[in-house]
Amino acid sequence: MEINSPPSNEVLDFCNSFKKSFKEHGWPNSKIETWKMTPLQKFIKDSSSLKHNSKYLLSNNKNKFIKNVDINNLESLNSKYFQKNEMSRVILSHISNAFEILVPKNTSKKETIDIKSSIDAGIWSSSLIIIKVPENVECNIALEFSLSSNSLCTPLIAIDVGKGSNLSFSLSVINSSKSLNASNFVSLIEGDLSENSNLEMVLTQQGVTLSRSDININLNQNYSNYDLIGVYFGREKQHQDITTCVNHLAENTSSNQIIRGILDDNSVGVYQGGVKVAPNAQKTDGRQMSRALLLSNLAESNSKPELEIFADDVSCAHGATIGELDKDQFFYLLSRGVSHSVARELLIKAYLNEVVEEIQNDYLSDQLEKAIDFWLSEFKMKEVA
Amino acid sequence: MSLLKIEDLYASIGDEKILNGLSLQINAGETHAIMGPNGSGKSTLSYVLSGREDYDVSKGSVFLDSKEILDIEADERSRLGLFLAFQYPIELPGVTGMTFLRTIINSSRVAKNLPELEGIELVKLIREKAAELEISQDMLKRFVNVGFSGGEKKRFEILQMALLDPKIAVLDETDSGLDVDALRIVGKGVTNLKSKDRGMLVITHYQRLLDHIIPDFVHIMVKGKIIQSGGPDLAKLVEKEGYKSFLNGN
Amino acid sequence: MPIQEETIEQVNLATSKYKYGFSTDLEVDKAPKGLDENIIRLISSKKNEPEWMLDWRLKAFEIWKKMKEPEWAKVNYPKIDYQDIYYYSAPKNTEKLKSLDEVDPELLKTYEKLGIPLNEQKALAGVAVDAVFDSVSVVTTFRKQLEEKGVIFCPISEAIKTHPELVKKYIGSVIPRHDNYFSALNSAVFTDGSFVYIPKGVRCPMELSTYFRINEKNTGQFERTLIIADDDSYVSYLEGCTAPQRDENQLHAAVVELITHDNAEIKYSTVQNWFPGDENGKGGIFNFVTKRGSCLGKNSKISWTQVETGSAVTWKYPSCILHGDNSVGEFYSVAITNNFQQADTGTKMIHLGKNTKSTIISKGISAGKSQNTYRGKVLMQPGAKNARNFTQCDSLLIGDKCGAHTIPYITSKNPSANIEHEATTSKISEDQLFYCLSRGLSEEEAVSLIVNGFCKEVMKELPMEFSVEAQKLIGISLEGSVG
């Protein structure tokens, strides 16, 4: 079933202030700290020639969960994050689709909602998606964006997870055909978590010219938890960016962000990860681990794992490594008679496999494996050629 | 005809000269032991034989089955029948034992023009050899060498050797990091792999491993060359008197 | 005219624990407040500088006027009025001193009180000292012994005249005038500092040391240090700083440039103990320093070790540019902030050559209401084949009113380069604290002991003479942080 929900007048009214701001300031420029490593103007040159259209397909029969945006729920767009982020004005002044995913209350069954969106050549798909998870439910949601050449996709996603609920959320960006140009993806995602709730997220990015996901998570109440597995693949002149900030705002909150990047050819990878601990967020446990693998002499990796801590009883750590395939591991495989190309593939798979193993939820690990397999099949074709 | 023939081998890493004219011949069916003090170049020898890139070989040659192998890459050497049991086996996070063994078995079979093994046949082969070395099924599901104990790592090395069935096996300090029980299992595993078609080179600092793997010949290596050769008794002499007398004699 | 200030006795009676908070009564020679071309001309003429130096300064001033004060650091401080500062202040009668006997006895007493005896007989064995008081170098010890080896160790104002070819060649070569706001300012108005040249093949026979002291009220200190280690040479250099306790803030904007040629090594150690302000955040030094070393030659090495306990606001990133193949850069840092102190400090390791290696060990301790930020950059350029970096930065929080922040920028443009970065933030362990208390230590003693343990990887890099002092300093800095 297709989700086609053009923004109502109320939504358009709400977006008016963003429209004004866009007219005045336009796209974010690279003088802004969080855009320094991802110069948008290099990738998005002429957005005005694109036609506005936004299509979503619900792959399973879950249409009862999709609603028009409730005017009361627009409140979540008033958050500091959306108000201050320079992309909000770009997205909200161009939306052509706006809907809510409403998980029903009091369901004991774990619901699964799969949504796909294809963005064809010549199209700019800008959309607003509000995901509401009520108290004490579990659900899986997957969003897949498949881009064509000369297309632009800018979703703004606001997620709210109620008390005691678990949301497993997968977002993947892929290429609709093998080699794309001028296919750009820029998203904004904010998640608000209530007491004892849990947001487990898998993000994969590959195949498009520019892909940036900017994620802001607020652990608003005690014992809320956020886990992120983010994997990006870059090749040719692609630019991959994952930017996150996890705000620990209450006691006993925890977060774990694991990022893996593989960069081939002339591609560039960026990870900007933030963990911020508010003065009252005692007993916070915040972790980040980012690793980037460079497969080519011309690839480039940038990491900025940041900690900002104002509470003392915390345990926070981050680690970051950048390098090529481990030489000792490579030699070990060769010494067992494994050829260079098989050893390389095995080690790349292993590098990715390690993060698949981290995921408890089968639905999410399937989503990640699917993305990895898709990339590996294209990678092998390249290696053979 | 000798299976492995090392002739006047010189090797260095950076500016440091490590092997200084080493020669050695191993015939089929023979087990040789090289003993030497720390820093004598024992591990360098094993790495140079197996084709690690960090070393410069300035002189000499190495023949495997009368084929010169110094210009051949490590994977090709392995497929020609050379096996190195590492002193410090490398961890491969993300690669399970089963995946690893399947990959190496089939690389070796393809080189020998044998069909690749899959499914039950493959599992049966691995299980059988693993059982002999007291390697559990659980260990094969784990990532290679990650979180393995010293004994588990060395047993896993010997398992690979059993599966690859090499012509020449080089065992580099296989006794290091082993307790008495693990030493017995590994010793038995290696002894079971002795055959009239295979040559073995056991590199060790201590004599204790040679109680479990009885060598036919013992060589003393000091400063990158062999300074004395003899029978198993020579190892006993080292045990009793240490390397001092050999060092002074040099 | 002698300036009326509180006497040493009064300071000792005062509540503060800053042991170097006294000021010295001296006759001084001061330029009027404020900054314009005339002041720069005056400084230059006071120093009898050659024309080229004055031109260089004036160009820097032109650059500075067009620049804006940086705002990206995580520090807040009242706007500095650059026209309300004295840019030149010198104790009278200190020029053209031939021996220690001619030094004003008040000055010698000051340095003795600071634990820096300038009298060569009483001096620490094997340490030559250049003492900089406000805007000028007052005395340099052990010059004869150093000259015998061909080592040049003198005030930079003197080097400009006696070794113009070296100064001309290297000044601004690592930190150009336009590098940043404070380096431009320093280039325009720097008054003194140390100059070191170690000739080819010489291992400097003793530790060299500069001791900086800001005494005058409303006086900025803008010293400039330039150290050149020629092929196959080695030098260990120590730097210490203090200032009197004053209610108003004082500005310190230094520039330090290091250059190593083939196989040379410079070890640069700092114990920075500028007045941090009182427990209410009043007064203290604004410490805005640019320090950078260039490993020009192959196999050369620059090692920075710093123990930062003082200053109200610190903005400082001693860095290494690793040009030469196989060159090595190191940064070991302890930064302690208490009360209302703010520190934004770290390093940059820029890898250009093959097989270059860098190590960063940073330990940040925040107490009271202070803010402590590590900011670092590791960059592997395309030519940095097989380069390595290891970074470990740990933060310790004492009390729930302070902040600890970590902002690393990590970029690699060469696949064979390897970067490893680790960071942790935690509070002081209750178990460790309890263990110490159960052995009869007071809480303050226990904290001092644990913090010293937390910093030991850095402390062991300090030369002996400094490490005892630094350990004590850590204890003093954290006083009042618990309970």
Side-chain angles (χ1 to χ4, degrees):
Chain A
M1 189 204 94
E2 194 168 311
I3 305 170
N4 190 359
S5 171
S8 64
N9 285 338
E10 286 155 316
V11 172
L12 288 175
D13 279 352
F14 180 87
C15 294
N16 248 338
S17 62
F18 291 97
K19 229 170 190 159
K20 255 186 234 154
S21 164
F22 178 75
K23 264 190 195 133
E24 202 175 319
H25 304 287
W27 288 78
N29 64 50
S30 41
K31 279 189 190 134
I32 300 158
E33 173 70 18
T34 59
W35 289 98
K36 272 187 181 149
M37 296 190 266
T38 298
L40 270 184
Q41 67 279 7
K42 205 177 120 190
F43 297 94
I44 301 170
K45 289 190 173 116
D46 187 15
S47 54
S48 59
S49 68
L50 296 169
K51 269 199 218 151
H52 293 278
N53 189 3
S54 176
K55 290 185 300 190
Y56 285 82
L57 271 175
L58 202 55
S59 62
N60 42 8
N61 187 27
K62 296 284 163 66
N63 40 351
K64 60 181 177 203
F65 299 155
I66 308 298
K67 300 274 185 310
N68 287 331
V69 170
D70 179 342
I71 191 74
N72 294 319
N73 288 338
L74 285 175
E75 233 176 72
S76 55
L77 302 187
N78 285 327
S79 72
K80 210 166 117 194
Y81 170 70
F82 286 131
Q83 290 293 323
K84 282 182 85 176
N85 196 299
E86 302 77 18
M87 264 311 286
S88 302
R89 61 174 185 255
V90 179
I91 299 174
L92 293 173
S93 56
H94 294 91
I95 47 174
S96 45
N97 206 345
F99 60 91
E100 286 183 14
I101 304 172
L102 268 177
V103 179
K105 283 179 189 166
N106 308 321
T107 44
S108 52
K109 193 177 136 221
K110 191 175 202 172
E111 296 289 353
T112 295
I113 301 158
D114 282 346
I115 297 175
K116 291 198 163 106
S117 180
S118 296
I119 298 93
D120 299 331
I123 297 296
W124 177 356
S125 165
S126 195
S127 49
L128 166 64
I129 303 171
I130 294 174
I131 298 173
K132 287 264 172 205
V133 179
E135 293 180 10
N136 300 315
V137 298
E138 282 188 68
C139 78
N140 299 324
I141 296 176
L143 273 174
E144 182 187 288
F145 295 92
S146 167
L147 277 74
S148 308
S149 283
N150 191 30
S151 72
L152 175 58
C153 177
T154 56
L156 184 148
I157 304 166
I159 301 169
D160 190 272
V161 187
K163 269 186 192 172
S165 287
N166 288 322
L167 169 62
S168 302
F169 180 63
S170 157
L171 191 153
S172 49
V173 181
I174 62 163
N175 45 315
S176 65
S177 59
K178 208 175 154 253
S179 203
L180 300 185
N181 55 63
S183 58
N184 299 309
F185 177 89
V186 187
S187 69
L188 281 189
I189 300 158
E190 181 167 48
D192 280 284
L193 278 73
S194 304
E195 203 173 318
N196 273 315
S197 69
N198 189 21
L199 171 58
E200 202 180 346
M201 191 164 162
V202 165
L203 165 69
T204 62
Q205 300 184 163
Q206 63 182 307
V208 302
T209 320
L210 161 72
S211 183
R212 161 153 165 147
S213 299
D214 189 326
I215 303 167
N216 186 64
I217 302 295
N218 304 312
L219 299 171
N220 293 318
Q221 291 178 352
N222 296 351
Y223 296 100
S224 49
N225 170 62
Y226 173 65
D227 289 318
L228 169 69
I229 305 272
V231 180
Y232 61 80
F233 305 92
R235 60 162 191 256
E236 292 154 15
K237 286 185 176 167
Q238 293 166 5
H239 186 104
Q240 297 286 345
D241 176 337
I242 296 180
T243 294
T244 71
C245 183
V246 179
N247 302 295
H248 290 261
L249 302 166
E251 283 184 20
N252 289 297
T253 51
S254 54
S255 66
N256 190 10
Q257 305 179 69
I258 298 172
I259 306 294
R260 291 276 154 118
I262 295 187
L263 297 160
D264 204 353
D265 305 327
N266 303 49
S267 62
V268 175
V270 174
Y271 169 60
Q272 308 184 77
V275 169
K276 296 189 176 178
V277 180
N280 57 328
Q282 298 293 5
K283 307 231 181 288
T284 282
D285 186 340
R287 290 175 198 278
Q288 309 176 61
M289 180 68 215
S290 72
R291 286 179 67 185
L293 189 60
L294 301 182
L295 296 179
S296 130
N297 280 328
L298 299 168
E300 175 184 328
S301 166
N302 299 279
S303 300
K304 187 188 166 202
E306 198 172 332
L307 291 169
E308 189 182 286
I309 294 163
F310 290 101
D312 66 332
D313 191 2
V314 299
S315 165
C316 288
H318 67 224
T321 64
I322 306 177
E324 60 186 344
L325 291 173
D326 186 278
K327 280 187 182 135
D328 290 333
Q329 294 179 352
F330 208 77
F331 175 67
Y332 192 58
L333 286 166
L334 291 185
S335 80
R336 297 297 178 254
V338 178
S339 70
H340 279 255
S341 60
V342 173
R344 193 170 146 98
E345 197 193 312
L346 191 66
L347 289 177
I348 291 172
K349 256 193 211 165
Y351 168 82
L352 296 165
N353 195 16
E354 268 189 288
V355 288
V356 177
E357 296 279 323
E358 293 277 334
I359 305 173
Q360 305 294 323
N361 178 302
D362 290 343
Y363 178 77
L364 285 182
S365 57
D366 286 351
Q367 300 289 334
L368 179 56
E369 278 185 304
K370 214 167 70 183
I372 291 172
D373 289 345
F374 186 86
W375 178 79
L376 273 173
S377 65
E378 290 194 342
F379 177 72
K380 267 198 243 176
M381 268 157 60
K382 185 206 153 197
E383 292 279 287
V384 171
Chain B
M1 165 109 77
S2 54
L3 264 182
L4 181 74
K5 190 172 168 189
I6 306 169
E7 279 182 353
D8 200 25
L9 191 62
Y10 285 80
S12 57
I13 187 162
D15 295 333
E16 197 186 343
K17 288 176 185 149
I18 304 176
L19 298 183
N20 296 299
L22 187 133
S23 299
L24 180 70
Q25 278 196 42
I26 299 177
N27 296 315
E30 292 176 356
T31 297
H32 290 239
I34 286 189
M35 301 183 73
N38 290 331
S40 56
K42 301 191 300 290
S43 284
T44 297
L45 175 64
S46 68
Y47 283 136
V48 169
L49 289 178
S50 59
R52 203 183 165 110
E53 278 177 355
D54 310 339
Y55 300 89
D56 292 324
V57 176
S58 55
K59 200 180 159 200
S61 33
V62 177
F63 296 95
L64 178 66
D65 228 0
S66 63
K67 190 180 169 75
E68 163 70 88
I69 58 166
L70 282 178
D71 292 332
I72 292 176
E73 292 218 41
D75 54 331
E76 182 65 23
R77 290 187 204 192
S78 165
R79 294 195 292 265
L80 286 170
L82 181 79
F83 180 87
L84 168 65
F86 282 54
Q87 181 182 2
Y88 303 110
I90 308 298
E91 295 184 358
L92 298 175
V95 182
T96 62
M98 272 312 240
T99 305
F100 176 71
L101 294 175
R102 189 185 68 227
T103 310
I104 70 170
I105 289 168
N106 285 330
S107 287
S108 140
R109 288 181 66 90
V110 168
K112 290 174 185 161
N113 282 321
L114 293 169
E116 292 194 22
L117 280 186
E118 286 300 335
I120 295 173
E121 242 180 320
L122 179 85
V123 173
K124 223 182 107 190
L125 173 73
I126 293 173
R127 280 194 182 166
E128 197 180 297
K129 302 277 185 195
E132 287 173 22
L133 287 157
E134 301 179 29
I135 290 174
S136 67
Q137 292 309 302
D138 178 58
M139 207 175 118
L140 296 175
K141 285 183 198 148
R142 284 152 65 191
F143 294 151
V144 173
N145 292 325
V146 177
F148 283 18
S149 70
E152 285 174 326
K153 281 183 182 169
K154 296 299 165 79
R155 276 185 279 153
F156 193 66
E157 291 292 291
I158 306 306
L159 172 61
Q160 295 168 48
M161 177 173 150
L163 291 166
L164 291 177
D165 192 19
K167 288 178 189 156
I168 284 283
V170 180
L171 289 87
D172 186 7
E173 307 269 4
T174 294
D175 53 331
S176 70
L178 295 190
D179 61 27
V180 188
D181 290 330
L183 189 65
R184 185 184 46 77
I185 299 168
V186 168
K188 198 178 123 207
V190 174
T191 304
N192 287 344
L193 288 171
K194 278 193 179 183
S195 91
K196 65 176 172 43
D197 301 322
R198 194 181 340 263
M200 287 201 195
L201 178 60
V202 181
I203 293 174
T204 183
H205 186 90
Y206 301 104
Q207 193 265 342
R208 61 174 198 161
L209 178 65
L210 304 180
D211 289 340
H212 298 271
I213 309 168
I214 315 276
D216 303 306
F217 302 95
V218 173
H219 311 276
I220 308 295
M221 183 172 173
V222 173
K223 290 181 185 158
K225 63 199 267 188
I226 287 169
I227 56 159
Q228 196 173 338
S229 298
D233 291 348
L234 190 54
K236 300 253 159 53
L237 190 70
V238 170
E239 173 77 358
K240 219 172 101 195
E241 299 187 0
Y243 289 105
K244 256 189 194 151
S245 55
F246 299 99
L247 291 169
N248 294 339
N250 199 33
Chain C
M1 182 187 76
I3 291 172
Q4 292 303 307
E5 288 296 343
E6 64 276 321
T7 61
I8 297 149
E9 285 76 17
Q10 280 172 315
V11 173
N12 285 344
L13 287 171
T15 50
S16 167
K17 287 146 189 155
Y18 185 71
K19 137 180 163 193
Y20 307 112
F22 60 86
S23 70
T24 307
D25 257 354
L26 280 176
E27 284 212 54
V28 293
D29 178 11
K30 257 201 290 206
K33 262 186 189 175
L35 180 56
D36 58 22
E37 227 182 272
N38 290 330
I39 290 286
I40 293 167
R41 286 178 189 281
L42 179 83
I43 293 170
S44 191
S45 80
K46 283 265 178 204
K47 303 268 172 193
N48 294 317
E49 280 178 359
E51 191 70 23
W52 63 266
M53 198 66 241
L54 175 63
D55 292 345
W56 197 83
R57 286 175 181 277
L58 292 173
K59 182 80 212 304
F61 183 58
E62 285 307 309
I63 293 168
W64 179 75
K65 280 196 289 190
K66 290 186 195 113
M67 292 177 99
K68 268 195 193 152
E69 200 168 329
E71 282 169 356
W72 44 261
K74 253 190 173 74
V75 291
N76 283 307
Y77 53 89
K79 213 163 160 41
I80 298 171
D81 181 353
Y82 289 90
Q83 297 307 333
D84 195 34
I85 296 173
Y86 291 108
Y87 287 84
Y88 184 82
S89 162
K92 261 188 184 160
N93 310 321
T94 55
E95 289 183 44
K96 293 172 199 146
L97 287 185
K98 288 197 188 65
S99 77
L100 273 171
D101 307 337
E102 295 176 36
V103 178
D104 188 326
E106 276 295 309
L107 246 171
L108 286 179
K109 260 196 241 162
T110 303
Y111 280 90
E112 293 237 352
K113 229 178 289 165
L114 295 170
I116 310 295
L118 296 178
N119 184 328
E120 288 183 16
Q121 280 82 47
K122 288 191 213 155
L124 293 162
V127 182
V129 178
D130 183 21
V132 176
F133 199 86
D134 288 341
S135 301
V136 293
S137 170
V138 285
V139 67
T140 308
T141 63
F142 289 108
R143 289 183 67 163
K144 244 202 203 129
Q145 287 89 327
L146 292 169
E147 272 164 24
E148 279 165 19
K149 289 269 184 183
V151 173
I152 306 168
F153 179 39
C154 66
I156 198 159
S157 54
E158 189 185 314
I160 288 165
K161 284 168 274 182
T162 53
H163 301 281
E165 71 297 341
L166 285 173
V167 177
K168 243 187 199 171
K169 183 172 170 191
Y170 291 107
I171 196 167
S173 70
V174 186
I175 302 166
R177 286 167 290 193
H178 60 260
D179 188 82
N180 67 71
Y181 187 77
F182 299 111
S183 72
L185 177 63
N186 175 288
S187 301
V189 303
F190 76 89
T191 41
D192 224 327
S194 297
F195 176 83
V196 177
Y197 172 79
I198 315 290
K200 281 184 187 169
V202 171
R203 205 184 152 83
C204 188
M206 58 185 80
E207 311 257 3
L208 303 184
S209 168
T210 300
Y211 208 87
F212 296 105
R213 171 88 181 156
I214 301 179
N215 192 60
E216 277 302 299
K217 210 172 170 175
N218 291 326
T219 303
Q221 179 151 337
F222 306 94
E223 86 268 3
R224 183 119 197 159
T225 298
L226 180 56
I227 303 178
I228 303 135
D230 216 326
D231 295 354
D232 306 297
S233 67
Y234 169 86
V235 62
S236 168
Y237 184 91
L238 322 174
E239 177 196 66
C241 350
T242 57
Q245 184 164 0
R246 297 188 189 281
D247 284 348
E248 70 278 2
N249 299 108
Q250 280 172 291
L251 177 62
H252 172 249
V255 169
V256 176
E257 294 177 282
L258 312 183
I259 294 116
T260 51
H261 290 284
D262 289 358
N263 309 310
E265 178 177 348
I266 298 176
K267 185 174 168 60
Y268 194 107
S269 314
T270 306
V271 173
Q272 187 263 105
N273 186 25
W274 295 120
F275 180 52
D278 67 12
E279 53 270 43
N280 298 314
K282 205 166 180 199
I285 300 287
F286 292 159
N287 190 33
F288 303 145
V289 174
T290 311
K291 290 183 167 176
R292 195 175 300 157
S294 174
C295 285
L296 275 185
K298 61 176 197 302
N299 306 317
S300 65
K301 179 175 173 182
I302 289 178
S303 179
W304 297 99
T305 305
Q306 61 172 25
V307 175
E308 300 278 315
T309 61
S311 296
V313 181
T314 299
W315 180 99
K316 177 180 173 188
Y317 316 92
S319 303
C320 296
I321 302 170
L322 305 168
H323 289 280
D325 290 351
N326 310 315
S327 60
V328 176
E330 292 175 342
F331 176 74
Y332 299 97
S333 169
V334 168
I336 300 181
T337 54
N338 197 357
N339 298 321
F340 285 86
Q341 279 177 275
Q342 305 172 65
D344 193 304
T345 183
T347 184
K348 283 192 264 185
M349 293 290 173
I350 311 296
H351 292 250
L352 299 162
K354 281 179 210 158
N355 301 315
T356 46
K357 239 169 87 179
S358 64
T359 303
I360 300 171
I361 308 284
S362 163
K363 305 280 177 179
I365 298 108
S366 327
K369 290 175 180 157
S370 69
Q371 299 298 327
N372 199 330
T373 301
Y374 167 83
R375 188 184 300 274
K377 178 175 184 151
V378 174
L379 171 62
M380 300 291 183
Q381 288 290 19
K385 203 179 161 207
N386 291 322
R388 294 279 175 273
N389 161 265
F390 175 76
T391 302
Q392 171 78 51
C393 57
D394 298 319
S395 305
L396 194 65
L397 292 141
I398 302 173
D400 58 2
K401 300 274 188 302
C402 52
H405 319 298
T406 313
I407 311 175
Y409 294 76
I410 308 160
T411 295
S412 177
K413 298 180 181 177
N414 188 309
S416 65
N418 195 314
I419 304 178
E420 264 181 78
H421 171 101
E422 288 170 21
T424 64
T425 304
S426 54
K427 74 165 181 172
I428 205 156
S429 148
E430 301 275 1
D431 293 341
Q432 285 177 347
L433 208 55
F434 177 72
Y435 186 78
C436 293
L437 296 181
S438 75
R439 294 295 175 266
L441 294 183
S442 74
E443 201 161 342
E444 277 190 358
E445 284 169 330
V447 167
S448 170
L449 191 75
I450 293 165
V451 169
N452 264 303
F454 175 75
C455 302
K456 72 169 183 305
E457 282 161 281
V458 174
M459 302 299 273
K460 75 174 170 38
E461 296 295 323
L462 282 176
M464 262 282 278
E465 293 82 356
F466 259 30
S467 81
V468 179
E469 189 67 25
Q471 273 177 38
K472 275 192 239 149
L473 206 53
I474 287 177
I476 294 165
S477 307
L478 290 170
E479 273 177 21
S481 66
V482 286

